[in-house]
Amino acid sequence: MSDDKKNSGDGINRRELLSLGAAAGLAAGAGAGASPPAAAQSAASFPTLPIAALGDLEPGAELSFEYPDENAPCVLLRLDGPVEGGVGPDQSIVAYSMLCTHKGCPVAYHADQKMLICPCHWSSFDPAKRGRMIIGQASQSLPQITLRVEAGMIEAVGIDGLIYGRHTNIL
Ligand code: FES
């Protein structure tokens, strides 16, 4: 038996112990340096994006945009009446990431069903209920874009939920 094995007393020699310790330190360091999860990102880290003038959005309006960057398609909807998380004079304006939380296919709004529906495996998300999945393969709601009205403009200022395929919303 080597001196190292004698010193540790448990079959692991000193060199192995030092190697394990270094690996654990590296793993901890990597964790500390990684980007924070989306939930931990403060609202201040999101850009402010003007999307449309409030006066231009009739009930039933649908508008595509990208947020928080050009690789993140979203849709803004003016629904028939007040809904959870809605903004505007009648709290009817909402916006969502268009990337399905199942496998990332782009959802489309079906006004006749009042649902955002994924064409790949038919998951349906309710825009009047914070993007909650109603039926389908997905297991999470669609990320909802946080909106505000500022000087007559509807602006995106954050995201509630993680965009499909990302470990953090701000890349
Ligand atoms: S990718 Fe949307 S349901 Fe599968």
Side-chain angles (χ1 to χ4, degrees), residues 38 67-69 71-72 74 97 99 143 145 159 161-169:
Y67 186 82
D69 55 59
N71 296 314
C74 300
S97 166
L99 299 183
I145 309 304
I159 304 175
L162 186 61
I163 297 169
Y164 177 82
R166 298 190 178 199
H167 69 282
T168 177
N169 284 326

Side-chain angles (χ1 to χ4, degrees), residues 100 102-105 118 120-123 137-138:
C100 177
H102 179 220
K103 294 198 175 199
C105 291
C118 177
C120 291
H121 312 102
W122 306 110
S123 288
Q137 302 291 315

Side-chain angles (χ1 to χ4, degrees), residues 3-155:
D3 286 339
D4 282 340
K5 295 255 185 197
K6 286 180 204 159
N7 289 342
S8 70
D10 61 2
I12 299 175
N13 68 34
R14 185 187 313 258
R15 186 171 297 124
E16 288 168 331
L17 278 173
L18 288 172
S19 176
L20 284 171
L26 283 174
S35 299
Q41 289 177 346
S42 70
S45 65
F46 286 99
T48 296
L49 176 72
I51 304 170
L54 186 56
D56 292 343
L57 286 178
E58 299 293 326
E62 177 182 346
L63 189 64
S64 298
F65 65 103
E66 291 85 35
Y67 186 82
D69 55 59
E70 67 276 5
N71 296 314
C74 300
V75 62
L76 178 127
L77 303 169
R78 183 166 186 179
L79 303 173
D80 295 336
V83 295
E84 296 177 43
V87 301
D90 54 0
Q91 283 80 55
S92 64
I93 300 169
V94 289
Y96 293 93
S97 166
M98 290 180 71
L99 299 183
C100 177
T101 54
H102 179 220
K103 294 198 175 199
C105 291
V107 301
Y109 184 59
H110 292 245
D112 54 336
Q113 300 174 61
K114 300 184 189 316
M115 287 285 158
L116 289 156
I117 299 176
C118 177
C120 291
H121 312 102
W122 306 110
S123 288
S124 298
F125 304 88
D126 190 344
K129 293 192 167 63
R130 294 191 176 275
R132 189 176 309 148
M133 197 202 68
I134 302 303
I135 189 168
Q137 302 291 315
S139 59
Q140 296 179 3
S141 301
L142 279 181
Q144 185 170 17
I145 309 304
T146 305
L147 302 174
R148 73 177 180 196
V149 179
E150 190 74 24
M153 289 293 297
I154 300 166
E155 298 177 339

